[in-house]
Amino acid sequence: MTTIVRSRTELRTALAVAPRPVGLVPTMGWLHDGHRALIRRSRSAEATTVVSIFVNPRQFGPGTDYTKYPRDEARDVAICESEGVDIVFAPAVDEIYPPGFDTTISVKGVSGPLEGAARPGHFDGVATVVAILFGLVGAERAYLGQKDAQQVMVIRRMATDLAIATEVVACPTVRDPDGLALSSRNVHLSPAERAAAPALRRALLAGRARWAAGERDAETLRDAMFETLTQEPLIDVDYVSVADGSTLAELDRVDGPALLSLAVRFGTTRLIDNEPLG
Ligand code: AMP
């Protein structure tokens, strides 16, 4: 039986009688098979699984897609029920940020490049809401997607620095058969854009192939990714990156663990993907 709670108090009451250990899967809803994979990982390891559904206004920049972000709570709850989720926490904005709320969690270094540079304030919003969720749920573990690799790094840093005992478990990216990473934003792609979108994966695999063949010059790997993307006229490249696997600083040479990543736009729809190396 899935219990749906909307307030901090109801959540605490439900958790007080929930068997431990507890796993948390934080989401913004519009659940897909990527979210289902996180839920299943949690269910296989934890006695209680909590899914939060909250489209967090603080992680969207002004004039970006907060209002057009897809929402369908009834469908999301049905998916959680079918996956055996124990508790769904679906709060209103005022419940997370009540009147007087005046705290921002700002992780420095690893929040700076890539998505942090492209979306100013984004990771402050993410770190703040996840700190609240971690504090409220007190889970033993939280299950996050490797698709948002930088987000995983930011949240790990935040939890370590704030002495929050929740361990962050990063789970593999779930993809459609043609390689496109599942994302709630894929719903906004036109048929032509959807047909072009596997180029993201092809670009990352082109970079990986050059690296596997011995190429260590980072700019050559970036060029390989960029050229693959620009073969699709519907794609506007936001960035391609070959970055250090722990700091996310852009590399000149790939001599250790690294992260290939990219962000593109199809019109107003922005998609990201990544591939770890080493
Ligand atoms: P979101 O609802 O997009 O904020 O995502 C909630 C969680 O699901 C985050 O930890 C994401 O990284 C993860 N996630 C999103 N898409 C995927 C995917 N295709 N595969 C695995 N995890 C994903």
Side-chain angles (χ1 to χ4, degrees):
M1 245 263 307
T2 306
T3 304
I4 301 163
V5 296
R6 298 190 181 279
S7 71
R8 295 176 179 226
T9 312
E10 285 172 335
L11 177 61
R12 286 197 193 284
T13 305
L15 282 165
V17 293
R20 304 206 75 92
V22 172
L24 169 65
V25 180
T27 82
M28 297 204 300
W30 200 260
L31 302 181
H32 52 63
D33 285 355
H35 301 110
R36 281 187 195 261
L38 304 182
I39 292 168
R40 287 178 192 171
R41 268 295 283 280
S42 175
R43 289 254 299 139
S44 72
E46 318 295 351
T48 297
T49 292
V50 180
V51 172
S52 60
I53 299 176
F54 180 64
V55 184
N56 174 31
R58 291 188 177 226
Q59 70 189 70
F60 291 80
T64 58
D65 62 350
Y66 173 65
T67 48
K68 89 168 203 186
Y69 197 84
R71 294 162 167 91
D72 186 342
E73 190 188 290
R75 179 176 162 277
D76 290 340
V77 167
I79 288 173
C80 287
E81 282 170 344
S82 75
E83 292 293 340
V85 170
D86 301 286
I87 299 172
V88 171
F89 179 46
V93 172
D94 273 3
E95 190 64 30
I96 294 296
Y97 305 116
F101 186 96
D102 202 15
T103 295
T104 299
I105 307 292
S106 190
V107 176
K108 303 292 183 210
V110 81
S111 287
L114 306 175
E115 290 303 285
R119 305 176 67 188
H122 170 66
F123 284 123
D124 286 2
V126 170
T128 302
V129 77
V130 174
I132 296 166
L133 293 170
F134 278 17
L136 279 171
V137 177
E140 272 75 9
R141 276 161 294 277
Y143 295 83
L144 306 184
Q146 185 62 34
K147 169 168 176 284
D148 300 284
Q150 188 175 14
Q151 173 168 278
V152 170
M153 295 168 75
V154 169
I155 291 173
R156 282 208 172 115
R157 184 80 256 161
M158 178 278 292
T160 301
D161 291 355
L162 298 183
I164 297 173
T166 303
E167 179 198 346
V168 173
V169 181
C171 304
T173 302
V174 177
R175 300 174 181 282
D176 271 337
D178 62 10
L180 177 64
L182 299 186
S183 164
S184 307
R185 290 187 170 92
N186 293 353
V187 71
H188 296 309
L189 298 174
S190 70
E193 290 166 345
R194 176 62 190 81
L200 277 73
R201 181 70 178 147
R202 282 204 305 279
L204 292 165
L205 293 180
R208 168 175 270 291
R210 297 296 291 268
W211 175 80
E215 181 61 62
R216 291 295 177 266
D217 179 60
E219 196 60 18
T220 306
L221 301 181
R222 278 181 214 107
D223 287 347
M225 292 193 282
F226 189 78
E227 278 162 26
T228 308
L229 291 173
T230 52
Q231 281 162 22
E232 289 291 352
L234 292 174
I235 292 181
D236 282 330
V237 181
D238 200 341
Y239 62 76
V240 292
S241 162
V242 180
D244 181 275
S246 31
T247 66
L248 296 183
E250 285 305 309
L251 293 171
D252 293 328
R253 284 189 57 77
V254 183
D255 294 319
L259 187 74
L260 304 181
S261 66
L262 50 81
V264 309
R265 282 172 209 282
F266 290 92
T268 54
T269 305
R270 189 168 178 282
L271 300 183
I272 60 172
D273 202 351
N274 68 81
E275 173 75 7
L277 295 183

